[in-house]
Amino acid sequence: MAWIVALYLVPFVTGLMAAVLNVPQRSDKLQAAGALLTLMIAGKVAITVWTGQPMLLAHDVIYIDALGAFNLSLIALVGFIASLYSIGYMRVELAEGVISSKQFRFYYAFFHFFILTMLMVSTVNSLGLLWVGIELTTLVSALLVAFYGKSNALEAAWKYLIMGSVGIAFALLGIIFIYLSGMQTLGQQSPALNWTELVQVAAALNPEWVKIGFIFILIGFGTKAGLAPMHFWLPDAHSQAPSPISAVLSGVLLNTALYGVFRVYAIANVTLDGQAAQYLVFFGLLSIAITVPFMMVQHDLKRMLAYSSVEHMGIITLSVGIGGALGLYGAFLHMFNHSMTKSLLFFAAGSICQRYRSKQMRRISGILKVMPVTGGIFLIAALAITGAPPFNIFLSEITIMMAGFQGGQLWLAVALVALIVLIFAGMMYYVIKMVFGEAPGRIEKVSLDRWSAAALMIPLVLVVVCGWYIPPMLDSTIYKVSSVLQGAGR
């Protein structure tokens, strides 16, 4: 229990200290140390779960199995890398007068509070507490979306709050319906909302209530995960937030919302004898398909990356819907790969937008000449996120396609291939023009600062290595995570 308390306490205290410490050079290093400590604690908790049994603590309030451990370790890892990248990024923003010292302190405080809310979601047993945790992620991250205080940022935060609130209201109704489905079996006590209780009696739950509850939760948490057609808040929020926050939003917040969907799916698909999977397939495929036209007509670099996140949340959802051991393995491998690749891409794009002082792609050209290292990494990350070999996303997408063929769902696999090819063509059209075009004369060549370089190198290594080879520890972890949903997969 001490490790769980530490897992909550470290980001909270780090955020408080960052808020009161008025020396930027100390404040940003301190917060990075706090993020590293959070990562170490999360790693300790995750390894304990993966090598032993799930944790059930504090009178069944805390529950961490392989799936929860996977999500919290991804949150802590991406959070740590983003904290490193933030040092170089926010120092430039402060030095150039884009933000004030007060905003500087505010940023680091709420950055760590944001990480804390996501960690809470991954460690609670009750669906009610899970709902509260996801609502808290919305409230805290909305402040970071509105961070710059400009009209576009405020509008994006407002849209995010409105859409998030509508979604969370749907999810609350869904949880009430799930609770009603188990009243005869589990009674009216509060443990009736515990996932560990519901999953054990899933076959005996009322199927009508479960069906309605799962659809409401899929729409509610799916809104937060950016699944189409509830995704409209996502491109605005991700493009207006500071780039390190965009990386955390795309890299792990969307996963955290999907985590809520998959928890309920593990119950619903058993109760409904495999029929819940069709809803995941529908929303997953729609999310991928709807990305295609938006990718073709984008003008804003960060909005293009945000639409790419809609695509990849769709791929993960579709893969879980396809199911089977291979489909579930492919889904969680893709979740890991997307977290690493999209974080890398947002970091590289953040440095580029900061240097060019624009997110408009027509104003960004000749990146390789102005920023040789960042430009090269940006190109690799763009190729990886579009599924080009030999990078990590290619491997997980191939796994998902094989799961479709193996499961006899040929049309799904063929549709996935066709849509991925179209998205690749649309995105690379803009990336090639930005990377290889003529550099504007007004922008001088610059080198990467050491903090940003360190932040880029960590995901870059994983993006490249995991395209060729899946480390045994990651491989066995993905299998254990998949096993949590095995009872629900078909």
Side-chain angles (χ1 to χ4, degrees):
M1 187 62 197
W3 288 105
I4 304 302
V5 173
L7 187 66
Y8 293 159
L9 206 54
V10 169
F12 181 70
V13 172
T14 302
L16 285 182
M17 293 180 71
V20 298
L21 195 57
N22 199 18
V23 182
Q25 284 74 13
R26 292 182 184 174
S27 161
D28 53 16
K29 291 177 184 173
L30 180 144
Q31 66 81 32
L36 177 60
L37 189 55
T38 303
L39 174 62
M40 292 168 68
I41 295 168
K44 166 66 179 172
V45 170
I47 290 171
T48 302
V49 170
W50 291 331
T51 56
Q53 297 295 320
M55 290 183 178
L56 190 57
L57 306 167
H59 303 287
D60 297 352
V61 172
I62 302 295
Y63 178 70
I64 309 173
D65 58 11
L67 177 59
F70 177 69
N71 203 45
L72 73 87
S73 57
L74 268 183
I75 292 165
L77 177 58
V78 172
F80 169 64
I81 300 170
S83 76
L84 286 182
Y85 178 78
S86 294
I87 296 177
Y89 186 87
M90 298 311 289
R91 281 183 181 180
V92 171
E93 297 288 81
L94 185 63
E96 295 187 357
V98 178
I99 62 170
S100 65
S101 58
K102 184 179 178 182
Q103 284 177 296
F104 188 85
R105 298 198 304 275
F106 172 93
Y107 170 82
Y108 282 120
F110 279 85
F111 174 90
H112 287 275
F113 295 156
F114 181 31
I115 297 295
L116 171 62
T117 57
M118 289 188 287
L119 292 173
M120 289 171 63
V121 171
S122 308
T123 54
V124 294
N125 192 11
S126 166
L127 295 183
L129 290 178
L130 185 145
W131 180 87
V132 171
I134 291 181
E135 172 66 0
L136 283 175
T137 64
T138 304
L139 296 177
V140 177
S141 58
L143 294 173
L144 291 166
V145 170
F147 175 72
Y148 287 115
K150 297 178 180 176
S151 58
N152 288 342
L154 295 175
E155 184 181 342
W158 175 78
K159 188 185 290 186
Y160 175 37
L161 277 174
I162 295 297
M163 290 294 291
S165 300
V166 171
I168 211 74
F170 270 84
L172 179 60
L173 285 172
I175 288 171
I176 291 171
F177 294 141
I178 294 292
Y179 172 76
L180 292 174
S181 74
M183 279 186 64
Q184 288 189 339
T185 309
L186 296 171
Q188 300 181 23
Q189 303 301 313
S190 57
L193 272 178
N194 285 353
W195 187 83
T196 50
E197 301 287 339
L198 287 163
V199 79
Q200 286 184 17
V201 298
L205 299 177
N206 182 309
E208 292 302 320
W209 284 122
V210 169
K211 181 178 178 181
I212 298 170
F214 176 65
I215 292 172
F216 270 75
I217 287 170
L218 178 56
I219 293 171
F221 289 157
T223 301
K224 189 67 182 285
L227 292 179
M230 302 84 72
H231 66 285
F232 289 106
W233 64 272
L234 191 149
D236 290 333
H238 289 213
S239 66
Q240 293 302 321
S243 290
I245 299 302
S246 303
V248 176
L249 289 170
S250 275
V252 286
L253 177 64
L254 302 183
N255 293 350
T256 302
L258 279 186
Y259 171 85
V261 172
F262 295 156
R263 279 289 177 201
V264 179
Y265 172 73
I267 299 165
N269 212 34
V270 173
T271 309
L272 302 177
D273 195 25
Q275 296 304 307
Q278 62 184 320
Y279 302 107
L280 295 187
V281 169
F282 172 76
F283 282 104
L285 196 61
L286 179 63
S287 300
I288 304 166
I290 214 163
T291 303
V292 175
F294 288 103
M295 199 64 82
M296 300 285 183
V297 298
Q298 273 311 308
H299 302 290
D300 185 303
L301 173 56
K302 291 180 70 177
R303 283 180 70 88
M304 183 172 74
L305 302 187
Y307 274 108
S308 166
S309 296
V310 175
E311 173 208 359
H312 287 282
M313 290 304 107
I315 291 175
I316 295 167
T317 304
L318 174 68
S319 187
V320 172
I322 289 173
L326 194 58
L328 294 173
Y329 179 90
F332 291 108
L333 179 62
H334 197 75
M335 185 178 278
F336 174 83
N337 287 339
H338 176 256
S339 294
M340 294 302 107
T341 311
K342 189 53 64 65
S343 303
L344 178 65
L345 199 47
F346 265 117
F347 294 150
S351 296
I352 292 165
C353 293
Q354 197 173 51
R355 186 63 191 157
Y356 283 78
R357 279 295 163 206
S358 178
K359 294 179 291 184
Q360 296 298 309
M361 290 189 282
R362 62 185 172 79
R363 295 182 178 176
I364 300 173
S365 182
I367 301 172
L368 270 182
K369 295 171 184 168
V370 176
M371 310 168 74
V373 176
T374 307
I377 293 173
F378 177 71
L379 180 60
I380 290 172
L383 286 167
I385 205 70
T386 50
F391 303 108
N392 59 346
I393 292 279
F394 172 76
L395 200 58
S396 51
E397 287 183 346
I398 284 291
T399 305
I400 294 167
M401 290 169 197
M402 288 172 60
F405 287 121
Q406 190 182 67
Q409 303 186 65
L410 302 183
W411 73 272
L412 275 181
V414 171
L416 179 60
V417 173
L419 292 171
I420 286 174
V421 169
L422 289 172
I423 291 168
F424 171 84
M427 190 165 175
M428 291 311 297
Y429 170 76
Y430 295 109
V431 169
I432 288 171
K433 288 176 70 173
M434 287 188 288
V435 171
F436 295 107
E438 285 297 321
R442 59 187 169 81
I443 299 180
E444 296 178 358
K445 186 175 178 179
V446 294
S447 57
L448 201 60
D449 69 88
R450 58 179 175 150
W451 296 105
S452 299
L456 288 168
M457 285 304 125
I458 298 171
L460 177 64
V461 168
L462 291 167
V463 165
V464 174
V465 170
C466 291
W468 295 88
Y469 165 76
I470 300 175
M473 184 177 176
L474 176 62
D475 186 55
S476 65
T477 298
I478 299 288
Y479 273 113
K480 288 173 184 171
V481 173
S482 306
S483 70
V484 175
L485 299 189
Q486 283 289 339
R490 289 290 186 274

